[in-house]
Amino acid sequence: MIAPAPRTRSLVLAAALARAGATVLRATAPGGPEHWTRTNHAGRAVGLHAGAAAALAAALATGRVRPVAGCAVLAAGACGAYDDVAGAGDPRRGFRAHLAALRDGEVTSGAVKLFGISAAGLLAGAVLKERPLDKVLAGVVIAGAAHFVNLVDVRPGRAAVAALALGAPGMVKRGPAAELAAAATGVAAAVLPDDLREREMLGDTGAHALGAALGVAVVAGNGRAGLVAHAAAVVAAAVYGEQVSGWARSLV
């Protein structure tokens, strides 16, 4: 009997964990159902179970490949969860708005998320890469990828489809990079159906974790040139965040 390839195991494990996690959270709703319900863009009540399940599944699936990758993904999801709870109802969006509030002496949940995910990305990059510049670039890619997926999470399915489109090509690589890409792809595939049906939403918890999982896969599979290109792309996306979100809204 031929054993499945490591990337296949990673894909299947991530998808199974995400589906099982969402099912358990829907059945138990820790803290009460009201804590797991939000209103989406169309005014429909949707659950946050898939977001938390996606974050935990991505952290576990990436962590079995590279423990530091799992830690970065978990930290991104935790920062997103904090913003989902503490920032509920805050109309401010984008890092400029939260940095402006910080200059005025207000520490918003968005600012906590920004600095928390950035720190987690830089720490992971410092472990995953050897040269100082590569460490910094890797941190930018991980944090920036987390931010990018959250930027496009403005309509049902946008974030999961983006993760599939960006993660699947990485599976053709070899070694840890392919396994990490497979983990992100598996989670995205698992949560997409309920997201499209507007039964669930990823929220900041799931979107940031899924983006960080993509980021660590990119870091594992690229050298200096690839890191520079990806870092430039995620920085540009952050600078033009409103346009990126507007583009994602306009897609059919």
Side-chain angles (χ1 to χ4, degrees):
M1 181 177 179
I2 300 175
R7 73 194 69 181
T8 303
R9 290 198 298 269
S10 189
L11 178 79
V12 172
L13 174 65
L17 287 172
R19 292 297 295 178
T23 299
V24 170
L25 287 173
R26 273 195 297 269
T28 58
E34 66 278 4
H35 295 295
W36 295 89
T37 304
R38 293 291 186 276
T39 302
N40 71 359
H41 73 285
R44 298 187 179 93
V46 295
L48 287 173
H49 317 91
L56 291 172
L60 289 170
T62 55
R64 66 179 286 274
V65 181
R66 295 297 299 269
V68 70
C71 290
V73 172
L74 185 61
C79 290
Y82 175 73
D83 195 34
D84 276 334
V85 175
D90 189 344
R92 289 170 291 195
R93 293 292 181 269
F95 68 90
R96 288 193 184 94
H98 294 293
L99 290 177
L102 191 62
R103 286 196 298 270
D104 294 333
E106 180 186 1
V107 180
T108 65
S109 60
V112 172
K113 179 178 67 175
L114 172 64
F115 289 110
I117 294 176
S118 297
L122 288 169
L123 287 172
V127 175
L128 292 170
K129 292 298 180 182
E130 295 181 358
R131 297 178 178 178
L133 179 56
D134 291 344
K135 293 176 183 288
V136 174
L137 289 170
V140 171
V141 169
I142 294 168
H147 183 59
F148 171 76
V149 174
N150 192 52
L151 281 175
V152 300
D153 188 30
V154 290
R155 290 293 185 273
R158 300 299 195 271
V161 167
L164 282 172
L166 295 171
M171 293 177 61
V172 303
K173 294 181 178 289
R174 295 183 178 181
E179 292 184 69
L180 291 168
T185 303
V187 171
V191 300
L192 180 59
D194 284 339
D195 195 359
L196 285 174
R197 289 198 294 264
E198 298 186 55
R199 182 185 182 191
E200 294 279 345
M201 66 188 298
L202 287 175
D204 284 7
T205 308
H208 282 300
L210 196 52
L214 290 172
V216 294
V218 168
V219 167
N222 284 272
R224 174 73 56 83
L227 290 176
V228 169
H230 284 89
V234 295
V235 168
V239 171
Y240 295 99
E242 291 184 8
Q243 291 90 329
V244 171
S245 294
W247 168 77
R249 285 190 193 92
S250 68
L251 295 176
V252 176

